[in-house]
Amino acid sequence: MGLLDARISNRNVLVTSVDNVMNWARLSSLWPMGFGLACCAIEMMATNASNYDLERFGIFPRSSPRQSDLMIVAGTVTMKMAERVITLYEQMPEPRYVLSMGSCSNCGGPYWNHGYHVLKGVDRVIPVDVYVPGCPPRPEALIGGLMKIQELIRMEGIGLSRQDALKKLAEKSVDPQQVIDQARKVATA
Amino acid sequence: MEMFTAIGLNHFLTISTMLFALGMFAVMTRKNAIVILMGVELILNAANINFLAFSKYNGGMEGVMISLFVIVLAAAEAAVALAIVINIFKTFKTVDVSSVDTMKE
Amino acid sequence: MDKAMEEAGNIMSAMVQESKAAYDIIRERFGEAVSEFDANPTMPFFEVLDTARWVDIALFMRDDARLKFNCMACLSGVDYLEEGKLGIVCNFESIGQYTHRIAVKVKCQRDGGSIPSVSCVWHTANWHEREAYDMYGMVFDGHPDLRRILCPEDWTGFPLRKDYQVQETYHGIKVPY
Amino acid sequence: MDQTLSGFGTVFVFLALGIFFVVAGFITARLLRPSRPNAEKNSTYECGEPAVGSAWVKFNIRFYVVALIFIIFDVEVVFLYPWATVFKPLGSFALVEVLIFAGILILGLAYAWVKGDLDWVRPTPNIPKMPELPGRDSGRANG
Amino acid sequence: MSEYFSNIKTATTTIATGLTITLRHFINAVKRKGDAGIDDADFFRQVDGLCTLQYPREVMPTPANARYRLYNNIDDCIGCNQCDRACPVECITIETIKVTADDLAICGKTSGGQQKRMWVPVFDIDVAKCMTCGICVSVCPTECLVHTPVADFSEFDVRNMVYHFGNLSKIEAQAKTKKLEEEKAAKAKAAEAAAASGQAPVPKPAPKPAPKPAGDQAGE
Amino acid sequence: MNELTIAIIFYIFAAVTVVSAAVVVFSKNVIYSAFSLLFTFFGVAALYVFLSADFIAVTQIVVYVGGILVLLLFGVMFTNTIMSTDLKADVLHFIPGVVLTVLLIVGMLYAFYTTGDWMPGHIQLSGSVVERIGIETMSRYMLPFEMASILLLVALIGAAYLARYDKANKKEH
Amino acid sequence: MSSSPSLNTWSDALSGFTIGGFPLGLIIVAAIPLVFIALYALTYGVYGERKFSAFMQDRLGPMEVGPWGILQTLADILKLLQKEDIVPTVADKFLFVIGPLIMFVGSFLAFAVLPFGPAFIGADLNVGLFYAVGIVALEVVGILASGWGSNNKWALYGAIRSVAQIVSYEIPASIALLCGAMMAGSLSMQHFNVVQSGPYGFMHFFLFRNPIAWLPFIIYFIASLAENNRAPFDIPEAESELVAGFFTEYTGMKFAMFFLAEYGSMFMVSAVLSIVFLGGWASPLPNIGGLALNTMTSGPVWGAIWIILKGFFFIFVQMWLRWTLPRLRVDQLMYLCWKVLTPFAFIAFVLTAVWEIYM
Amino acid sequence: MQELGKAELNSTRIIRQDDNRVIIEKDLDTEYMVLSMGPQHPSTHGVLRLECITDGEVVVEAEPYLGYLHRCFEKYCEKIDYPAIVPYTDRMDYLAGMNTELAYCITVEKLLDIEIPRRVEFIRVITAELNRIASHLVAIGTYGIDLGAFTPFLFCFRDREIILNLLEWISGARMLYNYVWIGGLSYDVPADFKKRVDEFVSYFKPKVVELRELLTENEIFVKRTKGIGIMPAEVAINYGWSGPMLRGSGVKWDLRRNDPYSIYPELEFDIPVPDGKFSDVGDSLSRHLVRALEIDESLKIIEQCLDKMPEVAGFDPRAVIPKRIRPKAGEVYGRAENPRGEVGFYIVSDGKSTKPLRCKARSSCFVNLSAMKDLSKGQLIPDLVAIIGSIDIVLGEVDR
Ligand code: SF4
Ligand code: SF4
Ligand code: SF4
């Protein structure tokens, strides 16, 4: 039974500072599993490559799920692949995060209506933390998504579930409608 | 107390005896050829401890030199013996010495 | 359609003429086993009527010195729903020998129909036939390894048939959106 | 007390510290980390597929031959090291002696070389052939 | 034997070549390429050196026609439904209410000066599904549906990615529907009355609220 | 104080040696036997240090751990399969083995402890053991030294031949 | 036993304060800084690798974790501490756990004989060099234990490959080092440094003093790459073939142990290389006339700086190679070892012996 | 139950059961191991799975399993309009979207029988060749990774990034362009386009040389790939190989020459085939070389196109795009030379609907990969990786 499993009711200064250190470590060293499915994977590779260089954030891909913290589901998950994705996800040690990259893994994307063999969203089989939209998402978008994951981790803590963290985040984050309004402003500007 | 704290020749001899006995036991009772080989290695180690112990407490180089040659021997022995074991295994599909000697090719 | 055929019969492009020449050789050898030549300007083809001779025709096409269709460029399954048939369309060409190209159609019954496999003539037919089987469900007789190739082994139905209904769940995962 | 020990005493301390370090690391990790095992998590990794069979199979004999040649030369090196510390005063005679010693073993290397034990035998790969005609049951091999 | 040595030689030289190349790059690492976008005239000014762009801090400008997040300027949308029908992914959902005659002025005109005849209470784009193919944009007659260069908009919840661009709230929409119904009823009544009175009213055009002609003339 | 420390370290290594040797012998799993041999060899190397034979100690590590143990492990891995045969090694002639072993231990220990004058006294070797070994091999032990090389050569040739030769297949490969 | 009485190891220097003959407590005191140097070398090896590789690849490398990313490794280790520990059901629990331990201890033990300065060495064994060569054996067993214990096919492939590779390359490596030992006439690590230091700086280094020394130098360097599973010899953990080699199944702290062990041995071989052929802590700067550069740059502190610099230089070269070259195949690896390096090592051995005796 | 293989000297049999699991029956000498390589494996380039039956390090047989990325492209074609299929063709071969689009569009154009403006053709060829370079860069880069060289990969991606920038500039998207439309293009090129592409060509030329020195000429690389996975020309044709794979086997066959489309007949370029000096004809190295040399050829083509491209004032690339694309009834098989080989579309139109009745995509990788099983026999695992890498598969295209 480790500390990260513990349920702590009173969160004093000590706990929070331990939290901060541990969260900092986790968010600074997110090792994704080198795992590409489709076109998005190429953009993921491009993000890893020199021009965007994910290693700046301490993100560098490991090929074994055992040593990775983050699963970037980059591409179309098909029915045949779904079970493998579950297995691979399960084989990652906790704490683990899932980033769904691209329309396909968000919700089936371009293949959602007639794609009989396409899983309509990877969140049907594994819990997803952050959804990155785009088809394929630009490297910038992927980096943005990873920063969102870092934001999420920052909110986590000993004895806090992921849901709590999300709630905490939701309190801080903006309403999606505002995003649109903002977009409107950007577009009109 | 003195007997336990002042490490002397007898301590080493005792250990070497134990190793030797364990090695003997393995050689005598185990059926797996590889474990028998391990037993032989234990015996050689026990012998080496004795050589070195006597060498130290007698102050000559003989023990050291002989133990060196024993190690050479052990290496050669291990190489050849394991090659034989592997060959036995290839032929009889087992490393069980008790069944090997009753088997014919 | 008819008009187009007529036109094509009158003025055939060089490519179609080449195909026609190749067809004539086959026709000469196999007679009624093959249908009339369809001088489709974009893809001239003929149909194999006697499917049992399909492998022979294929072998002849590959090995005859005048044809040398050594490359099967494509093999597509097709569902002829109205005719109640399934079929394959193969595109052939001759690499390095001639410039002629031709397409061949082979059809079989929609239910329980089978087509002889030509994977013993062209390696490439092997996977293409598996794919056609996977998508349409026609059986290729004599195929060495006729398994589904794209869909999972335990997938139900043949997705590209016109009347395909997608299954509700697969291994407990919901399939439709 | 024996002087040798003081040198090796440090080695012992390193040993103890090394073990301590590892164990401390493990214990800290144990205190920190979550532990939520499940069957799937504990299954063997094989690229996402369920593993077929155990990995504990007999391995190729070639590796054994490598270890074999290694051990022989290892022992040789054991003799050469003490010699290296004193060969200058001992002079030509010792050199000749050692050259004979090494030469004999190099003979062994040469033997292994000639016999192909040093070659990592690569099987002759299959060069694809044209498909075989029907009628024979050999579709498998080529298909 | 000569092969043995020539092997060693080629290996050494080619490895040395490779090492020089990487070393050159290592030394060049003092230079940086900068964030010139492809639009900039000096895009190729710096060809060696680090090419990493530290994204959240430095951004390379995207070209003007970059197709990322969709944005609908609903003020210009005439609710013609073209985009919905053209979208291969079917990720646009449009519901329209015909504008009643007295509302035409309120509803206003597009920036192109075209009178809008539809309320668009629901204009949802599921950007999670969208594949940014740009087909919808290319068919939009008023050019109100545009791709913005904003690419980075990830979410914690995929449902947040359905963007609602509609220009009416639910209540308003209900009100407008009611109004339309009333107007229709009124018209029907008027028509009835007219029929009863024997006057042939101007026949109402297509009942479907799809101003197709408008779409076609600007849509190519 | 320091005597005690040394004694403790000695006992630690002695215990490691003997216990792991016991595991080697009594373990049902050949792989465990092989791996605990590592600790035995290591412990014995430590004991060699106590016997001032530092060179031999390192040699022990180099040859036994790096060579023989690896060879043994390879042997185990080649000849055993979890899948078909089990890795358990059966015990043969158990009773006579125990009897003989006990007799052996008792007899030897008796001999050691009753013979009072094993130790003529602490005679320290002068100079470095390594250099002494170097000199001795070149002079007094010249012949065994050269013989060792021949022995090794023969062992190499023989073992390589055996490993290569497949009797069932009647061919070298 | 100290074979070089003129030298004081640090522990010897402190031994005056002990009450008994056996300064265990002080050895610990002496060892701790070494441990920290070792750990420092390990962690900054990792960071350095990332940065160097990044620069060679036109990238920036770690940037966001601490200024210029210098806290990256710390974050990695801290993170690995928090990771769940997975022991696969089918794995052999005992071997699975013992593997990383043996591995780490093996690479750590080697640091005991590295001299970091004239009086700054853990243990100046008179068999120091031999010890440094031999202790690798522990790693071999650790690798086998973890590979077999994982009961994973990739891991087993990785382990067996790795072991075959390490044991094979130990032969040319040890013969190459033997050449160094012949030049120095001793196996004591300190002795190497002493005989290579002098007023003429680098002129005293074996590499420059002896016309044949470059051959064993290169042979040892290549062999050490292979012993550390460094590219182009990284076939045991070849990502594109074997996923992650023998540590495929390891998570969290256990994986960290492998990680640290790998970088530890990297520093270790680099240090050995510089000690045996490049004078270790001896300053390479010569005294030129009145400009006593050498004298100025000698001493305990400078010694540590020099050896760390030299070590890091070779680590840099290792990385440089790694990020330049493709990987060899296993048969090519064996070819290189047995048919190129070993014969050349023997040639070097004979030449060195002849040179040393007759020149 | 099928028997897959036998060990030589005893009764070991590898059996594929009816439920398609492979089991090993009784083994005595060295054991066969069933090793599943993929779907998540660094060197299967996506989600290919190879079920290798290995004897030690030797692969007895490797059976490819596909379909992990089967995205129902052909189903989609029957459900959506002709122009809407274009973005889906992008997603088929996502590394060479332009080329696949082009293949699809010329196929439909054949069916529609329309004349394309010359400027459009030039732009199409330039973008397609740019995309070919980008695609080959990925192929070469990932091949480097497969063989353990990481740096060339990053260099390739660095340069590819510039091509992506160029193409994004033209089309608005980085990878999946939807730029080539049936009968035209979605936009005209930007004003500076010629200049920028010219700059790119002069920037890129030294980089190609650098790449060659770093990777292709490296002795280790050569030793790793030379003589591995030899495919004789005749069998390659029989396997239906195309593109660099076929040319690697020494067959001078390039659809841009042998079944010319667009303006390729007007352009001068070589078709590189290995001469057997640097590599053995038909081996992995040849295939790699062909790709590397094709980059040069593509640059040549681009330069020529830039020279010849007509400038038309007020040019509208959408001018000849039919309002409603509804081809007359007919069948067509059209194809183009993609970076990975021949990509063909077999389209059946019934003349009534705006959707094809049947659209089959003939995928180059699918066909190229089908030889994998044959090529893999008796290879070492590292060689297997080298062979897969040299086939340069894009799973999106294999599985469609
Ligand atoms: S989201 Fe788009 S780019 Fe990503 S995998 Fe799906 S289709 Fe490809
Ligand atoms: S960009 Fe394409 S997918 Fe997205 S809404 Fe428009 S038409 Fe649909
Ligand atoms: S096509 Fe344009 S105007 Fe018509 S509904 Fe869509 S966004 Fe509105």
Side-chain angles (χ1 to χ4, degrees), chain A residues 23-132:
Chain A
N23 290 347
W24 168 79
R26 268 211 309 279
L27 69 88
S28 311
S29 146
L30 275 175
W31 294 353
M33 173 159 51
F35 171 50
L37 291 168
C39 356
C40 283
I42 306 295
E43 277 303 64
M44 185 173 76
M45 277 154 82
T47 321
N48 274 314
S50 300
N51 284 56
Y52 293 93
D53 191 18
L54 277 183
E55 207 172 356
R56 285 185 294 124
F57 303 94
I59 296 169
F60 81 120
R62 299 283 326 167
S63 37
S64 164
R66 303 294 194 191
Q67 289 128 31
S68 31
D69 320 294
L70 170 68
M71 183 174 191
I72 302 182
V73 187
T76 320
V77 186
T78 57
M79 288 298 163
K80 206 171 178 177
M81 194 64 199
E83 285 169 316
R84 277 78 187 179
V85 172
I86 300 174
T87 312
L88 289 172
Y89 171 73
E90 282 297 342
Q91 284 179 345
M92 294 193 334
E94 292 182 46
R96 56 195 174 191
Y97 304 89
V98 178
L99 183 142
S100 154
M101 180 187 183
S103 303
C104 283
S105 54
N106 288 351
C107 62
Y111 300 97
W112 73 273
N113 42 4
H114 309 302
Y116 51 88
H117 190 239
V118 174
L119 181 68
K120 314 300 183 316
V122 72
D123 46 5
R124 290 190 180 188
V125 292
I126 55 174
V128 174
D129 294 303
V130 168
Y131 299 84
V132 178

Side-chain angles (χ1 to χ4, degrees), chain E residues 70 83 86-92 125 129-137 145 147:
Chain E
L70 274 172
C83 49
C87 174
V89 182
E90 303 170 22
C91 58
I92 306 180
I125 302 181
K129 283 180 197 149
C130 172
M131 61 170 169
T132 62
C133 64
I135 291 180
C136 54
V137 172
L145 190 60
H147 284 287

Side-chain angles (χ1 to χ4, degrees), chain H residues 181-366:
Chain H
W181 284 3
I182 298 165
L185 302 167
S186 59
Y187 310 98
D188 193 9
V189 292
D192 277 352
F193 179 70
K194 270 189 177 178
K195 183 169 153 271
R196 202 50 47 81
V197 175
D198 216 35
E199 280 171 351
F200 167 74
V201 172
S202 43
Y203 157 83
F204 189 53
K205 276 185 176 160
K207 303 283 176 192
V208 179
V209 177
E210 188 184 89
L211 191 62
R212 181 157 57 232
E213 283 174 354
L214 188 57
L215 188 70
T216 314
E217 284 173 4
N218 188 298
E219 183 68 4
I220 299 176
F221 179 83
V222 173
K223 280 266 143 58
R224 277 297 304 275
T225 51
K226 193 172 177 176
I228 302 299
I230 292 185
M231 176 60 103
E234 191 195 16
V235 189
I237 294 173
N238 194 284
Y239 260 114
W241 275 15
S242 51
M245 304 284 292
L246 185 58
R247 293 194 281 278
S249 288
V251 183
K252 218 173 174 120
W253 176 263
D254 189 324
L255 292 178
R256 291 175 292 180
R257 267 286 143 70
N258 296 78
D259 183 11
Y261 53 94
S262 200
I263 45 151
Y264 282 109
E266 299 170 28
L267 301 171
E268 264 180 47
F269 58 96
D270 285 345
I271 303 167
V273 284
D275 54 2
K277 280 192 205 116
F278 189 62
S279 62
D280 300 349
V281 176
D283 62 354
S284 304
L285 182 57
S286 308
R287 300 193 272 270
H288 168 84
L289 272 183
V290 168
R291 288 196 187 96
L293 294 175
E294 264 181 30
I295 290 183
D296 294 340
E297 298 306 318
S298 292
L299 286 175
K300 242 194 246 170
I301 294 177
I302 292 171
E303 277 176 332
Q304 291 174 40
C305 287
L306 289 177
D307 281 348
K308 293 186 179 169
M309 187 163 98
E311 287 296 340
V312 183
F315 175 68
D316 179 11
R318 303 186 192 179
V320 297
I321 299 180
K323 282 262 148 53
R324 165 154 284 129
I325 295 175
R326 186 193 286 144
K328 59 180 189 293
E331 296 172 34
V332 65
Y333 177 71
R335 57 205 184 150
E337 178 78 18
N338 254 33
R340 273 162 210 82
E342 167 181 343
V343 162
F345 288 90
Y346 167 67
I347 297 176
V348 184
S349 156
D350 61 357
K352 297 188 285 270
S353 121
T354 56
K355 297 168 183 153
L357 201 63
R358 166 83 171 111
C359 173
K360 150 99 184 181
R362 185 265 193 210
S363 132
S364 47
C365 300
F366 180 79

Side-chain angles (χ1 to χ4, degrees), chain C residues 40 42-43 62 70-71 73-78 89 91 93 95 101 105 121-124 127-128 130-131 135-136 144-145 147 149-150 153 159-162 164, chain H residues 2 20 63-67 70 74-75 78 110 235 237-240 246 251 253 259 331-333 335 342 346 357-358 360 362 366-367 369-370 374 398-400:
Chain C
N40 190 332
T42 48
M43 193 189 82
R62 188 188 75 180
N70 50 6
C71 177
C74 182
L75 186 155
S76 340
V78 187
V89 180
N91 298 81
E93 68 188 310
I95 287 185
R101 284 186 276 278
K105 287 187 177 179
V121 183
W122 294 281
H123 276 306
T124 178
W127 276 22
H128 271 125
R130 275 177 71 183
E131 189 196 326
M135 293 294 145
Y136 291 95
D145 187 21
R147 286 175 291 129
I149 187 165
L150 296 179
E153 285 296 326
L160 281 187
R161 287 195 179 195
K162 294 279 178 201
Y164 171 69
Chain H
Q2 285 174 320
N20 211 37
E63 169 95 46
Y65 282 76
L66 330 171
H70 176 46
E74 287 164 20
K75 191 80 181 170
E78 297 172 10
K110 241 191 203 175
V235 189
I237 294 173
N238 194 284
Y239 260 114
L246 185 58
V251 183
W253 176 263
D259 183 11
E331 296 172 34
V332 65
Y333 177 71
R335 57 205 184 150
E342 167 181 343
Y346 167 67
L357 201 63
R358 166 83 171 111
K360 150 99 184 181
R362 185 265 193 210
F366 180 79
V367 174
L369 187 63
S370 65
D374 222 355
V398 174
D399 296 344
R400 281 153 288 152

